[in-house]
Amino acid sequence: MKFVAFERAKQGTGASRRLRISGKTPGIVYGGSQEPQAIELDHNALWHALKKEAFHASILEMDLNGQTSNVLLRDVQYHPYKQLVLHVDFQRVSANERITIKVPVHFKGEENSPAVKQSQNLVTHVATELEISSLPGDLPEFVEVDLSELASGATVFAKDIKLPKGVQLATAADTVVVSAVAPAADEAAEGTEAAK
């Protein structure tokens, strides 16, 4: 994804407040061999971009003063109750330097799994994102987890997930990602049947 940023001359609380009133959002871009640089972005364009999952978990192309550089979104500060982005942080990335980032997890095949079809298990998505490490060129937009073989009562750990080539797991290997559990109502019904 590509976005346009502008150099920000004035800094400080008052300057940032005036920026927000004029429909802009203050930010900063840091990392790489360059000094941190204060930037400003169009608030509405940023607000709509932040609604896209790819904006949070992929390499972005930032156009600043006619120069394009690759960056990652590192932090967003929202207003407590208004639909307003207060500040954004971006980190420059180098093509030959590994980066660590959290990416979303997409699940598929759950409804066809033995846990659901045969045993009517409740499948709980415990983790919705995983921390991974990779070169910027190998960074996936998301990690897909196929649950079509999920057995009744099974648990899927982070170490069980097949990651794309060049991507390493940075989350603890024993982190639970998915668990299949028999419904509590069925267990209670079975208990009363046994008591009769």
Side-chain angles (χ1 to χ4, degrees):
M1 287 183 78
K2 193 169 189 173
F3 69 97
V4 179
F6 305 94
E7 208 168 331
R8 180 163 50 112
K10 294 181 179 175
Q11 295 182 39
T13 308
S16 293
R17 190 178 302 119
R18 286 189 293 277
L19 258 184
R20 290 185 198 106
I21 290 168
S22 68
K24 304 273 190 215
T25 301
I28 190 165
V29 59
Y30 56 82
S33 55
Q34 300 170 351
E35 288 292 311
Q37 188 170 13
I39 58 171
E40 61 184 64
L41 299 96
D42 178 67
H43 181 270
N44 289 343
L46 177 64
W47 181 262
H48 292 296
L50 285 167
K51 293 199 179 302
K52 297 177 182 154
E53 187 178 71
F55 197 77
H56 294 265
S58 60
I59 304 295
L60 307 170
E61 287 182 32
M62 180 180 71
D63 185 344
L64 179 64
N65 297 336
Q67 292 185 321
T68 303
S69 54
N70 291 336
V71 296
L72 271 175
L73 177 67
R74 279 302 188 187
D75 189 37
V76 183
Q77 294 170 15
Y78 292 97
H79 191 278
Y81 57 87
K82 292 182 187 173
Q83 288 192 345
L84 182 68
V85 180
L86 298 176
H87 195 272
V88 285
D89 291 16
F90 295 98
Q91 178 187 354
R92 291 184 194 95
V93 293
S94 169
N96 52 10
E97 229 175 87
R98 288 186 84 81
I99 52 173
T100 302
I101 186 171
K102 287 184 177 176
V103 294
V105 179
H106 290 185
F107 301 98
K108 71 170 192 175
E110 175 182 319
E111 61 283 349
N112 298 322
S113 68
V116 173
K117 266 195 151 169
Q118 296 164 5
S119 307
Q120 284 78 44
N121 279 193
L122 297 173
V123 178
T124 307
H125 302 161
V126 180
T128 55
E129 57 184 19
L130 286 176
E131 196 167 22
I132 59 167
S133 169
S134 78
L135 289 171
D138 297 331
L139 184 68
E141 201 172 294
F142 57 87
V143 173
E144 191 169 69
V145 179
D146 186 2
L147 299 176
S148 57
E149 302 297 318
L150 187 67
S152 177
T155 302
V156 178
F157 295 97
K159 64 183 177 195
D160 303 328
I161 295 172
K162 188 177 186 312
L163 295 170
K165 188 174 182 263
V167 177
Q168 295 173 348
L169 190 66
T171 302
D174 60 351
T175 301
V176 176
V177 179
V178 175
S179 65
V181 183
D186 290 352
E187 289 172 10
E190 284 169 16
T192 55
E193 286 294 325
K196 287 182 183 176

